Amino acid sequence: MRERYISPSVIRRLPKYHRCLKELENSGIVRVSSDVLAKNLGFTASQVRQDFSCFGEFGQQGYGYNVSSLLAEIAGIIGVDRNHSAVIIGVGNLGRALLNNFKFKNYGFEISAAFDTDENLIGTEIGDVGIHDIERIEEFFQTSPFEVAILCVPKAFVRDVARRVAAIGVLGIWNFTNIDLSLEELGVVVENVHFADSLMTLCYEISKDN
Amino acid sequence: MRERYISPSVIRRLPKYHRCLKELENSGIVRVSSDVLAKNLGFTASQVRQDFSCFGEFGQQGYGYNVSSLLAEIAGIIGVDRNHSAVIIGVGNLGRALLNNFKFKNYGFEISAAFDTDENLIGTEIGDVGIHDIERIEEFFQTSPFEVAILCVPKAFVRDVARRVAAIGVLGIWNFTNIDLSLEELGVVVENVHFADSLMTLCYEISKDN
């Protein structure tokens, strides 16, 4: 299944299916049609059916999809059913917000450590995550390797930190720094989170009729 | 120009063009081809040309686009060249991160106030933004109306706060709460920010080859 080419736009929709199915499952709903899924997500029913057909046969014509097994399938395709380890680099307000509020476990991630340069923070904990000296990240990786680095550092440090974690051998970077990173040549997947793109989309929507 | 139908996927790409052109302008680049824009953004050149053709004629065949005038055009279409007023509701870590670090002015927004329930915060300021009692938001709106409410409140309060600001008459909600809101029936545009979607996309990319 994994050998097939799946277009980036289908991949972008997978998390939305996952979220929607999770909500349906939490509401105790057992079975769902492509029409209902499409309506909840703002897609067309034929798009939903076409997307699912990329991954094999999930449903039966006229009978709908079993919510839990579809959710499990999609979780498996995304990879959130495996354990992934990640660290947070930069424990300012945003790093702290992620540590305190984001349910990493729901998405198959465990935060094994946080890193900062602030001596007042190093050696303390947030939740049960210890904060370490960024200068010792390579050493930490030797004994406790992690797959993903979550970047919440100030702009001036972004490129340097990104190069360091790429050199260590992380698989991916979740980048909150608003500086676009591309580390493909080093074999590192980067997911850039751009708050501004979302604000500008909202801006367009509130401006267009005025 | 605004009367034309523009597909949601084109709208989603506008902020990316804006960001890319802003970076080119900051680097002192005066003129850019659709090929270069496409390469920077990971789109195809024909997609770029097709997107721009939705809004009229921006460039000259074989001559490229003038970076500053294209940026100004796109800023105008998005509406970031106008002044929009917004308030932040919920001054926890995330609200604080936005207040401290996000360059609202770069996107045409001014934060006129923040709101919280915490008596220790009410009456204080972050940057030059005053923190007010959420109970007085209707009163505040009477004298200082705002267009957008940025929701950073805990999950339990999301729906109540959203209904209140919709009733006040805001045009849009920028929703960081990870609870999907739809307030179309009240004429309020909602832009839901889902960190998890982005993490799951990264998860897929790092899982697919393993």
Side-chain angles (χ1 to χ4, degrees):
Chain A
M1 202 190 284
R2 283 305 179 95
E3 288 135 42
R4 244 188 264 202
Y5 173 74
I6 300 163
S7 82
S9 48
V10 177
I11 294 165
R12 288 272 158 202
R13 285 193 289 273
L14 287 175
K16 299 183 203 300
Y17 290 124
H18 186 274
R19 176 151 39 86
C20 181
L21 288 162
K22 191 91 193 164
E23 281 163 16
L24 292 171
E25 192 184 53
N26 289 342
S27 317
I29 291 164
V30 173
R31 199 156 268 288
V32 66
S33 66
S34 47
D35 288 337
V36 168
L37 270 178
K39 190 157 174 276
N40 282 352
L41 287 160
F43 304 158
T44 65
S46 77
Q47 169 126 72
V48 170
R49 286 189 294 264
Q50 200 183 323
D51 284 352
F52 291 170
S53 73
C54 294
F55 304 107
E57 286 305 315
F58 281 169
Q60 241 178 296
Q61 190 81 41
Y63 191 63
Y65 303 98
N66 178 289
V67 170
S68 296
S69 47
L70 182 55
L71 180 61
E73 285 275 359
I74 288 178
I77 293 162
I78 299 174
V80 293
D81 58 348
R82 285 173 252 181
N83 272 325
H84 298 286
S85 55
V87 301
I88 290 187
I89 306 180
V91 190
N93 287 306
L94 183 62
R96 204 174 280 268
L98 289 171
L99 278 167
N100 281 323
N101 304 124
F102 191 81
K103 303 276 173 275
F104 286 98
K105 286 214 169 91
N106 290 358
Y107 307 101
F109 281 82
E110 176 142 18
I111 303 297
S112 60
F115 294 89
D116 206 287
T117 55
D118 183 345
E119 284 179 16
N120 296 316
L121 290 175
I122 294 165
T124 66
E125 289 191 352
I126 292 181
D128 54 356
V129 176
I131 305 177
H132 303 253
D133 185 349
I134 180 75
E135 288 311 316
R136 306 185 72 168
I137 194 166
E138 286 84 0
E139 194 181 315
F140 181 91
F141 187 87
Q142 293 301 318
T143 53
S144 314
F146 47 87
E147 291 163 278
V148 168
I150 302 170
L151 290 200
C152 303
V153 299
K155 285 192 183 197
F157 302 101
V158 176
R159 294 194 192 279
D160 181 48
V161 171
R163 262 190 297 267
R164 274 177 73 178
V165 294
I168 289 177
V170 298
L171 298 177
I173 290 177
W174 198 21
N175 176 22
F176 280 87
T177 67
N178 213 30
I179 291 197
D180 263 322
L181 289 173
S182 168
L183 298 165
E184 268 172 45
E185 74 283 9
L186 300 172
V188 179
V189 178
V190 180
E191 176 69 20
N192 295 304
V193 179
H194 286 294
F195 292 171
D197 286 9
S198 161
L199 181 62
M200 285 198 271
T201 305
L202 180 64
C203 186
Y204 174 83
E205 294 294 337
I206 65 167
S207 305
K208 68 179 177 182
D209 304 320
N210 297 317
Chain B
M1 201 191 283
R2 284 305 180 99
E3 287 135 41
R4 245 187 262 201
Y5 172 76
I6 299 164
S7 81
S9 49
V10 177
I11 295 164
R12 289 271 158 202
R13 284 193 289 272
L14 287 176
K16 299 182 204 301
Y17 290 122
H18 186 274
R19 177 151 39 86
C20 181
L21 289 163
K22 190 91 194 165
E23 280 163 18
L24 292 170
E25 192 184 52
N26 289 343
S27 316
I29 291 164
V30 174
R31 199 156 269 289
V32 67
S33 66
S34 47
D35 287 337
V36 168
L37 270 177
K39 190 158 175 276
N40 282 354
L41 288 160
F43 305 159
T44 64
S46 76
Q47 169 125 73
V48 170
R49 287 189 294 264
Q50 200 183 323
D51 284 353
F52 292 169
S53 73
C54 294
F55 305 106
E57 285 306 313
F58 281 169
Q60 242 177 296
Q61 190 81 39
Y63 192 62
Y65 303 98
N66 177 288
V67 170
S68 295
S69 47
L70 183 55
L71 180 61
E73 285 276 359
I74 288 180
I77 292 162
I78 299 174
V80 293
D81 58 348
R82 286 173 252 182
N83 272 327
H84 298 286
S85 55
V87 301
I88 290 187
I89 306 181
V91 190
N93 287 306
L94 183 62
R96 202 174 281 268
L98 289 171
L99 278 166
N100 281 324
N101 304 123
F102 191 80
K103 304 277 174 275
F104 286 98
K105 286 213 169 93
N106 290 358
Y107 307 101
F109 280 82
E110 177 142 17
I111 303 298
S112 59
F115 294 89
D116 206 288
T117 56
D118 183 345
E119 284 179 15
N120 296 316
L121 290 175
I122 294 166
T124 67
E125 288 189 353
I126 292 180
D128 53 356
V129 176
I131 304 176
H132 302 254
D133 185 350
I134 179 76
E135 288 313 315
R136 306 184 73 167
I137 193 167
E138 287 84 359
E139 194 180 314
F140 180 92
F141 187 86
Q142 293 301 320
T143 52
S144 314
F146 47 87
E147 291 164 278
V148 167
I150 302 170
L151 290 200
C152 302
V153 300
K155 285 192 183 198
F157 302 101
V158 177
R159 295 197 190 280
D160 182 49
V161 170
R163 262 190 298 267
R164 275 176 73 178
V165 294
I168 289 176
V170 297
L171 298 177
I173 290 177
W174 198 22
N175 176 23
F176 279 88
T177 67
N178 213 29
I179 290 196
D180 262 321
L181 289 173
S182 169
L183 297 166
E184 269 173 45
E185 74 281 10
L186 299 171
V188 179
V189 179
V190 180
E191 176 69 20
N192 296 303
V193 179
H194 287 293
F195 292 171
D197 286 9
S198 159
L199 181 62
M200 284 198 273
T201 305
L202 180 65
C203 187
Y204 174 83
E205 295 293 339
I206 65 167
S207 304
K208 69 179 177 182
D209 303 320
N210 297 316

